[in-house]
Structures are given as structure tokens and as C-alpha cells.
Amino acid sequence: MINKKHTTHAITKVMACVVIMIVSVIMSIAFGAREMPLDEVIKGIKQIQLGTLESIIIKTRIERTIFAFVAGCALSICGTLMQVVTRNPIADPSILGVNNGSALFVVIGIAFFGITSTSEYIFFALFGAFATAILVYYISTIGYDGATPLKLALSGVALSAVLSSILTIVILPSQMLSDKYRFWQVGSVGGTNKEQIIIALVVLLIILIISIIISPILNALSMGDDIATSLGIGVSAYRIIISVCSVILCGTITAMAGPIGFIGIIAPHIARSLFGGNYKILIPTSALIGGIILLIADTIGRVIARPGELEVGIVTAFIGAPILILMAISTKETSI
Amino acid sequence: MLDLIIKKQKIENRKAINKNIILLITLFALCFLSLMIGNTNYSAKTVIDVLLGKEVSGAGFIINTLRLPRAIVGMLAGFAFGISGSIFQRMLRNPLASPDVLGVSSGSSVSAVFCILILRQSGAVVFIASVLSALAVTLVVYLLSQIKGYTITKIVLIGIAMQAMLRSIISYMQIKANVNDLGAVIRWLSGDLSTVSLEDAKILCFSLLIILPILLCCNNQLKILEFGEDVAKTLGVNTVKARLIQLISSVMILAIATAITGPIAFVSFISGPIANKINFKNMITAGLVGSIIVVASEIIGQNFLSVKMPVGVITGIVGTPYLIYLIVSQRREGA
């Protein structure tokens, strides 16, 4: 009885999220440097093959909207998975310094290996993300009481500082690189092409499916290593698989959009408070919420800084930081 | 018995002073070295001649105008970073709670970058703006961490969140900036001594002379605060007032130094812990260690790399292994 009521509640909430998503998609297409009334939007969609002004705007905006949504989904799944592995609700690529790792390796790739294509960017970003994630986690586990949230966060900060020192060494001698890097470093969902969107979408779908399949294991792992082991789960093997999945997601998106922070903290946090802690539901819902947040953030960024734009990475930092502060204030020490 | 304790204390004090003198001599030796070597190397005699005011053709300009301000500002800024870092760490009772982590440095960077890039101002405006915004950020972080009970995890997380927000503002200003200013800003943001003048050295020296006595006077209160809130209260210390004075004065010297050199990475982070190994909880030692780190890194950055690197890049890389060691060896009681 209670269960049934619970399910209907959950369905209502999911429906609400979907409605919000549709609204935010429409807003993302209609608003921008130039506002478009609904009839112009429809006209643009109808004439999409003709190449009129409206259709070009609509086309770029649709691409951007899709990519923003995909990136939001990917980053929030990435955050959720990282939080399972580290058992720590503040784990996020931006906090753990994984973004900086990707950044450094992409810059090194541009500077020393002359990379230009998307796949090369992704390769270098993934490599950097892996190296950093492993290093940060390893540093935070050695010592007296394992990977406490404090140590995890501090290791991330420390390693980010080092990475940015090395990055400065690489970019400082060349104005071309510093110029390229400053645009990449803020995190923006504009300027992606169709090929990139398809790659991102495929990666997202594969890892989404994997995460949903292994969601019972995620549930067990989140109860603690001891319980998971007693349920017959190979804890360390799954930890590695989950970490690999989350780093692939984050590295791919970072390679295309630059570092976008905090989505991985905000979305799972909201999803957890709406839908509870079952990962089978949590993974898809936090993906949905993450996509919505990034879409709205991107739309806000385009509207408030007209005719230019405020890059989405800046908007998410401004939304995410207060939420992180609220989480820090309201949760007890033991639970973070 | 009491005599014995006092006697022992005196011996300890003398030892501490001796060690500080050794550090000071090392520091001066390094400064002297930094005056000697560079693109052209000068003999010790030439440097002494120039410093004594004799006319030496060529060497006079390079040493007096180019190298001397760097050495002096590096020394003073390192001192400021070291002292304020060690005060933060002692006051918050955690070796990891340095102004870098708590967002104070980012706070002063934001307004300094704003002044440099957007307003195209320098000098007094930058100082005032950066001191004010550093104070504001510190205050906000500190007050937020007091809500529902202060814990170190809380203040660090809030600091990190603030830092993320401030960093994003800095990146935004970088995007909007003219590409020709970019190098200067990147240099400044990583902590650089290449543009400082003797004027800067004067300002820094003056503010240290004002703030240092205040900090030294509060040293005893700080020692008591380290025993914890309750102990300090029973011993009759007004903890809120004591903490506020310490916080404000250490943020001020930090912000002034940051306004001149940019946030030199990790100096405030690692000076305190290193100094504790030399002289346990001695403010002056922490400052001297900070100075030595900055001056030594400046020598490395200017002479031993193919491209001249800002000093903060060197301190960032040199400081890292030690920082990781600190994180790894952190004990439960500090957390």
C-alpha cells in the first residue's frame, strides 16, 4: 500500500521533471542573444533545410541545447558515481581536481603534440582525468583514517594548485596557447559540432545503461564495504569499473566543453532529496535533473549577458557554490 | 622548582632566538646571491660597491633598479605570507587551513585583477580594493562556518566553494580582457616579482612594521586559543575579540603582499609546518621560512630554467610534495 503510494509519488515527480525539461528546452531555443517568438521558432524549424536566418539560428541553438542537456546528464552521472566510490556527497570532478587534470593534458597535447581533432582532445583529456583521479584518491586514502571528505577535498585543492602551476609553465611562453586556454578554461557548451555531440551522446548512453545495470551493486556499495563484501560483491573490482565509467564521462565532456563544475554535486543532491537513495531510480533522475540544470544555466548565461554571453561554467559555479555551502552548513560532520 | 622551569624556558628562548638568527643569515645570504647572479653575473665585491653607493657602470642600474626591489619585495612578501599562514593554521588548529584553501587569496586576487584589467589602475587603489575584498571573503567564510557549530570540515568546504566562485569571476575577466594583457595577468595570478619596484617594498615594509607588533602582542592569546575555546574562556580570554584581531591583521598583511606580488602559491601553506619543525610555534620563524622559500624560488625561477618563470610557479611545484605529505600524515584530532 505504502509502496504503491510511494511509486505514484515518484512518477508524479518524474513527470514534473520531464515537464520542466521540455519547458527549459523550449526556453533554451527561444532565448539567446536574439529573442525569438514562438512562431519564428516554428518557422525556423520548418525551413531548417533552406538556410534562412531563422533556421540557422534555430539549428545552432538546437545543437547547443542538445549538447547542454547531454553534458548535464553526463556530469551528474559522473558525480553520482564518484560519490558512490568515495562514499562522499561532495565528490565532483571540479572539487577533486579531475577537471584540472584534463585541462593540463589537453594543453600539453596542444603545445607539444599539435593535437587538433576532437578524438585527440578526448584522448588527452581522458588520460589527464584518469591520472588525476587516481592520484587524488590515492593521496587521500593513505594516512590515518582513510579518505575522509576533508582529506579528499584538500587533496583535490592541493593537486589542482600543482596542476595549474605546471599549466602556467606550459602556456606562459606562448600567447597563442594562453589565448586558447582562457576560452577553454571557463567551460562553455557553445561551439560544439555535430560529430562531438554524437560522440558525447553515445558515451553517455553506454555508461547510463551500464550504471543502471549495476545499480544494485551501487546500492550495496553505498552501504559500506563490509556489507557489500558480505553480499558477495567484489568491492575493489567494482570500484575500479565505476571509477573508470565516471572518469570517461567527465573526461569526454571536459574535452569538448572545458571544465564545468558543480553539476555533479547539485544534481545528485537534489535527486537524492526528491527520490531517495535507490540508485536504480537515482541514476536516471539525477541525469535528468543535471541536464535541466545545465540547460537552464546556459540559458541564463545567454540572457543576462546580452548581446554576449556568460559562459555556463561561471553560471554553474555561482549556483553550485552556495549549494555546497548550504550542504556544508546543514550536514553533520560524520555524514559528509 | 619554579626557578628551574623559568631557567629552562629562558634556555629554550635563547635557542629559539639563535635559530632565528641562523635563518636570518641564510636569508641575507640568499638575497645577496640573488643580487649577484642573473643574466650577467657580478662578483660579490661589485655588489657591495653598488649597495654602498659607488658608481659602477652597468652594474649599478641592474642591481639597484632590477634586482634589489625583487629581492626586498620577495623577502618581505614571503615574510608576510609565512606569518599569516602560520597564524591561520594555529588559530583554526589545522595545518591544512591556510589562507590559500580558505579562499582569502582568491578574494584579494579578484579585486586586484579587476583593478588591473578593467579599471586599469595600479598602486593605492589595488591595495585598498584587495585588502577590503580579502577581509570581506574571510569574514563571510568565517561567519558562515559558525552557523550550526564550527567544524574544520565546514570552514574548508565553505572556503573551497567561495574559491570556486571567485575563480570563475577571474576566468570571466580573463576572457573579456585584451589578449595583450593576458600574459601579465597570468603572471600576476601565479605570483610574480618581475614588475615590483622599491616603492612597493616601502609600502610592504611600512605595513609589516605596523601590523607585526600587533600580532606579536597577541601571541600569548593565540597560544591560549590553541588549547581550545573552553580553556581560553576559563583563562579569561575574550575569544571572539582575540580571534578577530588576529584574523584581521593577518588577512591585512596577506592581502597587501598579494596585491603587490600576486598569490604566491603554497608559501603560506608550507611555511608554518616547516617552521614548527625548527622552532615550535614561533611566528618570526614562520615568517623567515616564508622569506627563504620565496627568495630561493625566485633564484631558481630566474636562473635555472630555459624560460624565466614567475616565482609562484616554482613554489607551487616545490611545495607540492611537502603538502601531500602533510595531507597524508594528518591525524584524526586535527580533522
PDB file of all heavy atoms in Angstrom, chain A residues 43-73:
ATOM      1  N   LYS A  43       8.730  28.557 -37.566  1.00  0.00           N
ATOM      2  CA  LYS A  43       9.087  28.852 -38.946  1.00  0.00           C
ATOM      3  C   LYS A  43      10.501  28.360 -39.239  1.00  0.00           C
ATOM      4  O   LYS A  43      10.772  27.727 -40.268  1.00  0.00           O
ATOM      5  CB  LYS A  43       8.994  30.375 -39.164  1.00  0.00           C
ATOM      6  CG  LYS A  43       9.035  30.813 -40.609  1.00  0.00           C
ATOM      7  CD  LYS A  43       8.775  32.327 -40.669  1.00  0.00           C
ATOM      8  CE  LYS A  43       9.636  32.979 -41.719  1.00  0.00           C
ATOM      9  NZ  LYS A  43       9.869  34.410 -41.444  1.00  0.00           N
ATOM     10  N   GLY A  44      11.401  28.644 -38.280  1.00  0.00           N
ATOM     11  CA  GLY A  44      12.789  28.226 -38.438  1.00  0.00           C
ATOM     12  C   GLY A  44      12.907  26.722 -38.544  1.00  0.00           C
ATOM     13  O   GLY A  44      13.659  26.195 -39.372  1.00  0.00           O
ATOM     14  N   ILE A  45      12.143  26.015 -37.695  1.00  0.00           N
ATOM     15  CA  ILE A  45      12.232  24.555 -37.728  1.00  0.00           C
ATOM     16  C   ILE A  45      11.729  24.021 -39.063  1.00  0.00           C
ATOM     17  O   ILE A  45      12.314  23.122 -39.663  1.00  0.00           O
ATOM     18  CB  ILE A  45      11.441  23.938 -36.555  1.00  0.00           C
ATOM     19  CG1 ILE A  45      12.125  24.304 -35.236  1.00  0.00           C
ATOM     20  CG2 ILE A  45      11.337  22.418 -36.683  1.00  0.00           C
ATOM     21  CD1 ILE A  45      11.384  23.909 -34.008  1.00  0.00           C
ATOM     22  N   LYS A  46      10.643  24.644 -39.580  1.00  0.00           N
ATOM     23  CA  LYS A  46      10.094  24.195 -40.861  1.00  0.00           C
ATOM     24  C   LYS A  46      11.082  24.411 -41.988  1.00  0.00           C
ATOM     25  O   LYS A  46      11.201  23.608 -42.906  1.00  0.00           O
ATOM     26  CB  LYS A  46       8.788  24.953 -41.160  1.00  0.00           C
ATOM     27  CG  LYS A  46       7.569  24.300 -40.527  1.00  0.00           C
ATOM     28  CD  LYS A  46       6.333  25.080 -40.906  1.00  0.00           C
ATOM     29  CE  LYS A  46       5.137  24.616 -40.092  1.00  0.00           C
ATOM     30  NZ  LYS A  46       4.096  25.638 -40.064  1.00  0.00           N
ATOM     31  N   GLN A  47      11.806  25.550 -41.907  1.00  0.00           N
ATOM     32  CA  GLN A  47      12.705  25.890 -43.016  1.00  0.00           C
ATOM     33  C   GLN A  47      14.128  25.406 -42.785  1.00  0.00           C
ATOM     34  O   GLN A  47      15.057  25.943 -43.366  1.00  0.00           O
ATOM     35  CB  GLN A  47      12.736  27.411 -43.194  1.00  0.00           C
ATOM     36  CG  GLN A  47      11.380  27.990 -43.537  1.00  0.00           C
ATOM     37  CD  GLN A  47      11.445  29.497 -43.551  1.00  0.00           C
ATOM     38  OE1 GLN A  47      12.320  30.091 -42.938  1.00  0.00           O
ATOM     39  NE2 GLN A  47      10.506  30.132 -44.253  1.00  0.00           N
ATOM     40  N   ILE A  48      14.279  24.397 -41.922  1.00  0.00           N
ATOM     41  CA  ILE A  48      15.626  24.067 -41.471  1.00  0.00           C
ATOM     42  C   ILE A  48      16.582  23.722 -42.608  1.00  0.00           C
ATOM     43  O   ILE A  48      17.780  23.948 -42.524  1.00  0.00           O
ATOM     44  CB  ILE A  48      15.549  22.927 -40.425  1.00  0.00           C
ATOM     45  CG1 ILE A  48      16.803  22.942 -39.527  1.00  0.00           C
ATOM     46  CG2 ILE A  48      15.465  21.555 -41.049  1.00  0.00           C
ATOM     47  CD1 ILE A  48      16.552  23.233 -38.127  1.00  0.00           C
ATOM     48  N   GLN A  49      16.016  23.210 -43.724  1.00  0.00           N
ATOM     49  CA  GLN A  49      16.894  22.874 -44.846  1.00  0.00           C
ATOM     50  C   GLN A  49      17.213  24.083 -45.724  1.00  0.00           C
ATOM     51  O   GLN A  49      18.143  24.053 -46.522  1.00  0.00           O
ATOM     52  CB  GLN A  49      16.243  21.791 -45.732  1.00  0.00           C
ATOM     53  CG  GLN A  49      15.902  20.498 -45.006  1.00  0.00           C
ATOM     54  CD  GLN A  49      17.122  19.788 -44.463  1.00  0.00           C
ATOM     55  OE1 GLN A  49      18.230  20.031 -44.902  1.00  0.00           O
ATOM     56  NE2 GLN A  49      16.911  18.916 -43.493  1.00  0.00           N
ATOM     57  N   LEU A  50      16.431  25.169 -45.604  1.00  0.00           N
ATOM     58  CA  LEU A  50      16.550  26.268 -46.553  1.00  0.00           C
ATOM     59  C   LEU A  50      17.705  27.203 -46.258  1.00  0.00           C
ATOM     60  O   LEU A  50      18.200  27.888 -47.148  1.00  0.00           O
ATOM     61  CB  LEU A  50      15.240  27.074 -46.580  1.00  0.00           C
ATOM     62  CG  LEU A  50      14.036  26.319 -47.134  1.00  0.00           C
ATOM     63  CD1 LEU A  50      12.791  27.179 -47.028  1.00  0.00           C
ATOM     64  CD2 LEU A  50      14.277  25.923 -48.584  1.00  0.00           C
ATOM     65  N   GLY A  51      18.119  27.263 -45.010  1.00  0.00           N
ATOM     66  CA  GLY A  51      19.246  28.123 -44.676  1.00  0.00           C
ATOM     67  C   GLY A  51      18.875  29.579 -44.517  1.00  0.00           C
ATOM     68  O   GLY A  51      19.679  30.452 -44.802  1.00  0.00           O
ATOM     69  N   THR A  52      17.621  29.874 -44.116  1.00  0.00           N
ATOM     70  CA  THR A  52      17.283  31.260 -43.807  1.00  0.00           C
ATOM     71  C   THR A  52      17.890  31.630 -42.465  1.00  0.00           C
ATOM     72  O   THR A  52      18.422  30.786 -41.752  1.00  0.00           O
ATOM     73  CB  THR A  52      15.760  31.440 -43.726  1.00  0.00           C
ATOM     74  OG1 THR A  52      15.269  30.519 -42.750  1.00  0.00           O
ATOM     75  CG2 THR A  52      15.108  31.186 -45.053  1.00  0.00           C
ATOM     76  N   LEU A  53      17.799  32.932 -42.138  1.00  0.00           N
ATOM     77  CA  LEU A  53      18.391  33.416 -40.894  1.00  0.00           C
ATOM     78  C   LEU A  53      17.829  32.670 -39.689  1.00  0.00           C
ATOM     79  O   LEU A  53      18.568  32.150 -38.848  1.00  0.00           O
ATOM     80  CB  LEU A  53      18.132  34.918 -40.761  1.00  0.00           C
ATOM     81  CG  LEU A  53      18.686  35.547 -39.478  1.00  0.00           C
ATOM     82  CD1 LEU A  53      20.196  35.447 -39.472  1.00  0.00           C
ATOM     83  CD2 LEU A  53      18.237  36.987 -39.343  1.00  0.00           C
ATOM     84  N   GLU A  54      16.492  32.571 -39.659  1.00  0.00           N
ATOM     85  CA  GLU A  54      15.869  31.895 -38.524  1.00  0.00           C
ATOM     86  C   GLU A  54      16.361  30.468 -38.402  1.00  0.00           C
ATOM     87  O   GLU A  54      16.677  29.993 -37.317  1.00  0.00           O
ATOM     88  CB  GLU A  54      14.331  31.872 -38.665  1.00  0.00           C
ATOM     89  CG  GLU A  54      13.625  33.165 -38.351  1.00  0.00           C
ATOM     90  CD  GLU A  54      13.495  34.035 -39.589  1.00  0.00           C
ATOM     91  OE1 GLU A  54      14.023  33.633 -40.650  1.00  0.00           O
ATOM     92  OE2 GLU A  54      12.872  35.111 -39.501  1.00  0.00           O
ATOM     93  N   SER A  55      16.429  29.797 -39.557  1.00  0.00           N
ATOM     94  CA  SER A  55      16.767  28.378 -39.480  1.00  0.00           C
ATOM     95  C   SER A  55      18.195  28.179 -39.015  1.00  0.00           C
ATOM     96  O   SER A  55      18.486  27.233 -38.291  1.00  0.00           O
ATOM     97  CB  SER A  55      16.552  27.719 -40.839  1.00  0.00           C
ATOM     98  OG  SER A  55      17.555  28.113 -41.717  1.00  0.00           O
ATOM     99  N   ILE A  56      19.086  29.105 -39.401  1.00  0.00           N
ATOM    100  CA  ILE A  56      20.474  28.956 -38.946  1.00  0.00           C
ATOM    101  C   ILE A  56      20.553  29.141 -37.437  1.00  0.00           C
ATOM    102  O   ILE A  56      21.181  28.351 -36.725  1.00  0.00           O
ATOM    103  CB  ILE A  56      21.392  29.969 -39.667  1.00  0.00           C
ATOM    104  CG1 ILE A  56      21.494  29.590 -41.149  1.00  0.00           C
ATOM    105  CG2 ILE A  56      22.775  29.977 -39.050  1.00  0.00           C
ATOM    106  CD1 ILE A  56      22.151  30.635 -41.995  1.00  0.00           C
ATOM    107  N   ILE A  57      19.862  30.179 -36.961  1.00  0.00           N
ATOM    108  CA  ILE A  57      19.862  30.411 -35.515  1.00  0.00           C
ATOM    109  C   ILE A  57      19.297  29.194 -34.802  1.00  0.00           C
ATOM    110  O   ILE A  57      19.877  28.676 -33.847  1.00  0.00           O
ATOM    111  CB  ILE A  57      19.034  31.671 -35.173  1.00  0.00           C
ATOM    112  CG1 ILE A  57      19.710  32.903 -35.754  1.00  0.00           C
ATOM    113  CG2 ILE A  57      18.886  31.812 -33.675  1.00  0.00           C
ATOM    114  CD1 ILE A  57      18.912  34.162 -35.600  1.00  0.00           C
ATOM    115  N   ILE A  58      18.148  28.714 -35.315  1.00  0.00           N
ATOM    116  CA  ILE A  58      17.495  27.576 -34.673  1.00  0.00           C
ATOM    117  C   ILE A  58      18.415  26.362 -34.669  1.00  0.00           C
ATOM    118  O   ILE A  58      18.549  25.671 -33.665  1.00  0.00           O
ATOM    119  CB  ILE A  58      16.188  27.228 -35.427  1.00  0.00           C
ATOM    120  CG1 ILE A  58      15.148  28.325 -35.201  1.00  0.00           C
ATOM    121  CG2 ILE A  58      15.632  25.889 -34.985  1.00  0.00           C
ATOM    122  CD1 ILE A  58      14.625  28.388 -33.816  1.00  0.00           C
ATOM    123  N   LYS A  59      19.096  26.170 -35.793  1.00  0.00           N
ATOM    124  CA  LYS A  59      19.945  24.986 -35.892  1.00  0.00           C
ATOM    125  C   LYS A  59      21.077  25.036 -34.859  1.00  0.00           C
ATOM    126  O   LYS A  59      21.308  24.079 -34.124  1.00  0.00           O
ATOM    127  CB  LYS A  59      20.537  24.900 -37.309  1.00  0.00           C
ATOM    128  CG  LYS A  59      20.730  23.487 -37.773  1.00  0.00           C
ATOM    129  CD  LYS A  59      21.170  23.503 -39.218  1.00  0.00           C
ATOM    130  CE  LYS A  59      21.961  22.260 -39.539  1.00  0.00           C
ATOM    131  NZ  LYS A  59      22.638  22.362 -40.812  1.00  0.00           N
ATOM    132  N   THR A  60      21.754  26.190 -34.791  1.00  0.00           N
ATOM    133  CA  THR A  60      22.836  26.268 -33.802  1.00  0.00           C
ATOM    134  C   THR A  60      22.281  26.129 -32.397  1.00  0.00           C
ATOM    135  O   THR A  60      22.879  25.478 -31.546  1.00  0.00           O
ATOM    136  CB  THR A  60      23.602  27.607 -33.889  1.00  0.00           C
ATOM    137  OG1 THR A  60      22.711  28.589 -34.356  1.00  0.00           O
ATOM    138  CG2 THR A  60      24.792  27.502 -34.792  1.00  0.00           C
ATOM    139  N   ARG A  61      21.100  26.736 -32.194  1.00  0.00           N
ATOM    140  CA  ARG A  61      20.563  26.655 -30.835  1.00  0.00           C
ATOM    141  C   ARG A  61      20.125  25.244 -30.484  1.00  0.00           C
ATOM    142  O   ARG A  61      20.293  24.815 -29.354  1.00  0.00           O
ATOM    143  CB  ARG A  61      19.390  27.613 -30.672  1.00  0.00           C
ATOM    144  CG  ARG A  61      19.872  29.018 -30.472  1.00  0.00           C
ATOM    145  CD  ARG A  61      18.809  29.881 -29.897  1.00  0.00           C
ATOM    146  NE  ARG A  61      19.204  31.281 -30.028  1.00  0.00           N
ATOM    147  CZ  ARG A  61      18.346  32.274 -30.032  1.00  0.00           C
ATOM    148  NH1 ARG A  61      17.056  32.029 -29.930  1.00  0.00           N
ATOM    149  NH2 ARG A  61      18.771  33.505 -30.130  1.00  0.00           N
ATOM    150  N   ILE A  62      19.574  24.530 -31.473  1.00  0.00           N
ATOM    151  CA  ILE A  62      19.172  23.148 -31.176  1.00  0.00           C
ATOM    152  C   ILE A  62      20.392  22.315 -30.834  1.00  0.00           C
ATOM    153  O   ILE A  62      20.405  21.584 -29.843  1.00  0.00           O
ATOM    154  CB  ILE A  62      18.406  22.536 -32.372  1.00  0.00           C
ATOM    155  CG1 ILE A  62      17.011  23.164 -32.462  1.00  0.00           C
ATOM    156  CG2 ILE A  62      18.267  21.029 -32.205  1.00  0.00           C
ATOM    157  CD1 ILE A  62      16.197  22.682 -33.618  1.00  0.00           C
ATOM    158  N   GLU A  63      21.457  22.486 -31.634  1.00  0.00           N
ATOM    159  CA  GLU A  63      22.678  21.734 -31.343  1.00  0.00           C
ATOM    160  C   GLU A  63      23.182  22.045 -29.945  1.00  0.00           C
ATOM    161  O   GLU A  63      23.521  21.159 -29.173  1.00  0.00           O
ATOM    162  CB  GLU A  63      23.768  22.087 -32.365  1.00  0.00           C
ATOM    163  CG  GLU A  63      23.618  21.328 -33.666  1.00  0.00           C
ATOM    164  CD  GLU A  63      24.678  21.722 -34.676  1.00  0.00           C
ATOM    165  OE1 GLU A  63      25.590  22.497 -34.344  1.00  0.00           O
ATOM    166  OE2 GLU A  63      24.560  21.253 -35.815  1.00  0.00           O
ATOM    167  N   ARG A  64      23.177  23.333 -29.652  1.00  0.00           N
ATOM    168  CA  ARG A  64      23.674  23.750 -28.351  1.00  0.00           C
ATOM    169  C   ARG A  64      22.824  23.180 -27.225  1.00  0.00           C
ATOM    170  O   ARG A  64      23.338  22.709 -26.204  1.00  0.00           O
ATOM    171  CB  ARG A  64      23.656  25.277 -28.315  1.00  0.00           C
ATOM    172  CG  ARG A  64      24.299  25.826 -27.103  1.00  0.00           C
ATOM    173  CD  ARG A  64      24.205  27.326 -27.070  1.00  0.00           C
ATOM    174  NE  ARG A  64      24.899  27.755 -25.880  1.00  0.00           N
ATOM    175  CZ  ARG A  64      25.728  28.778 -25.826  1.00  0.00           C
ATOM    176  NH1 ARG A  64      25.946  29.487 -26.891  1.00  0.00           N
ATOM    177  NH2 ARG A  64      26.320  29.105 -24.710  1.00  0.00           N
ATOM    178  N   THR A  65      21.504  23.224 -27.432  1.00  0.00           N
ATOM    179  CA  THR A  65      20.603  22.716 -26.414  1.00  0.00           C
ATOM    180  C   THR A  65      20.832  21.231 -26.167  1.00  0.00           C
ATOM    181  O   THR A  65      20.923  20.788 -25.022  1.00  0.00           O
ATOM    182  CB  THR A  65      19.144  22.946 -26.865  1.00  0.00           C
ATOM    183  OG1 THR A  65      18.997  24.314 -27.169  1.00  0.00           O
ATOM    184  CG2 THR A  65      18.173  22.532 -25.807  1.00  0.00           C
ATOM    185  N   ILE A  66      20.935  20.478 -27.269  1.00  0.00           N
ATOM    186  CA  ILE A  66      21.164  19.041 -27.107  1.00  0.00           C
ATOM    187  C   ILE A  66      22.460  18.804 -26.347  1.00  0.00           C
ATOM    188  O   ILE A  66      22.514  18.031 -25.393  1.00  0.00           O
ATOM    189  CB  ILE A  66      21.220  18.338 -28.482  1.00  0.00           C
ATOM    190  CG1 ILE A  66      19.862  18.432 -29.169  1.00  0.00           C
ATOM    191  CG2 ILE A  66      21.611  16.876 -28.328  1.00  0.00           C
ATOM    192  CD1 ILE A  66      19.864  17.914 -30.582  1.00  0.00           C
ATOM    193  N   PHE A  67      23.507  19.516 -26.763  1.00  0.00           N
ATOM    194  CA  PHE A  67      24.788  19.271 -26.113  1.00  0.00           C
ATOM    195  C   PHE A  67      24.742  19.660 -24.642  1.00  0.00           C
ATOM    196  O   PHE A  67      25.267  18.953 -23.781  1.00  0.00           O
ATOM    197  CB  PHE A  67      25.916  20.027 -26.816  1.00  0.00           C
ATOM    198  CG  PHE A  67      27.250  19.728 -26.217  1.00  0.00           C
ATOM    199  CD1 PHE A  67      27.797  18.462 -26.363  1.00  0.00           C
ATOM    200  CD2 PHE A  67      27.934  20.664 -25.478  1.00  0.00           C
ATOM    201  CE1 PHE A  67      29.014  18.149 -25.790  1.00  0.00           C
ATOM    202  CE2 PHE A  67      29.151  20.356 -24.906  1.00  0.00           C
ATOM    203  CZ  PHE A  67      29.691  19.101 -25.063  1.00  0.00           C
ATOM    204  N   ALA A  68      24.087  20.792 -24.338  1.00  0.00           N
ATOM    205  CA  ALA A  68      23.997  21.208 -22.940  1.00  0.00           C
ATOM    206  C   ALA A  68      23.308  20.132 -22.118  1.00  0.00           C
ATOM    207  O   ALA A  68      23.761  19.773 -21.033  1.00  0.00           O
ATOM    208  CB  ALA A  68      23.247  22.527 -22.825  1.00  0.00           C
ATOM    209  N   PHE A  69      22.213  19.602 -22.661  1.00  0.00           N
ATOM    210  CA  PHE A  69      21.478  18.577 -21.918  1.00  0.00           C
ATOM    211  C   PHE A  69      22.340  17.337 -21.718  1.00  0.00           C
ATOM    212  O   PHE A  69      22.438  16.801 -20.617  1.00  0.00           O
ATOM    213  CB  PHE A  69      20.178  18.231 -22.655  1.00  0.00           C
ATOM    214  CG  PHE A  69      19.271  17.372 -21.838  1.00  0.00           C
ATOM    215  CD1 PHE A  69      18.548  17.911 -20.792  1.00  0.00           C
ATOM    216  CD2 PHE A  69      19.162  16.012 -22.097  1.00  0.00           C
ATOM    217  CE1 PHE A  69      17.727  17.119 -20.015  1.00  0.00           C
ATOM    218  CE2 PHE A  69      18.345  15.219 -21.329  1.00  0.00           C
ATOM    219  CZ  PHE A  69      17.619  15.775 -20.286  1.00  0.00           C
ATOM    220  N   VAL A  70      22.978  16.898 -22.807  1.00  0.00           N
ATOM    221  CA  VAL A  70      23.817  15.695 -22.719  1.00  0.00           C
ATOM    222  C   VAL A  70      24.948  15.908 -21.711  1.00  0.00           C
ATOM    223  O   VAL A  70      25.211  15.053 -20.856  1.00  0.00           O
ATOM    224  CB  VAL A  70      24.395  15.347 -24.108  1.00  0.00           C
ATOM    225  CG1 VAL A  70      25.455  14.268 -23.997  1.00  0.00           C
ATOM    226  CG2 VAL A  70      23.290  14.887 -25.034  1.00  0.00           C
ATOM    227  N   ALA A  71      25.578  17.076 -21.789  1.00  0.00           N
ATOM    228  CA  ALA A  71      26.686  17.343 -20.875  1.00  0.00           C
ATOM    229  C   ALA A  71      26.209  17.354 -19.432  1.00  0.00           C
ATOM    230  O   ALA A  71      26.863  16.795 -18.546  1.00  0.00           O
ATOM    231  CB  ALA A  71      27.340  18.680 -21.217  1.00  0.00           C
ATOM    232  N   GLY A  72      25.038  17.957 -19.217  1.00  0.00           N
ATOM    233  CA  GLY A  72      24.491  17.980 -17.861  1.00  0.00           C
ATOM    234  C   GLY A  72      24.229  16.585 -17.336  1.00  0.00           C
ATOM    235  O   GLY A  72      24.590  16.240 -16.212  1.00  0.00           O
ATOM    236  N   CYS A  73      23.595  15.740 -18.164  1.00  0.00           N
ATOM    237  CA  CYS A  73      23.338  14.348 -17.770  1.00  0.00           C
ATOM    238  C   CYS A  73      24.649  13.663 -17.420  1.00  0.00           C
ATOM    239  O   CYS A  73      24.783  13.028 -16.370  1.00  0.00           O
ATOM    240  CB  CYS A  73      22.699  13.563 -18.907  1.00  0.00           C
ATOM    241  SG  CYS A  73      21.063  14.098 -19.321  1.00  0.00           S
TER     242      CYS A  73
END
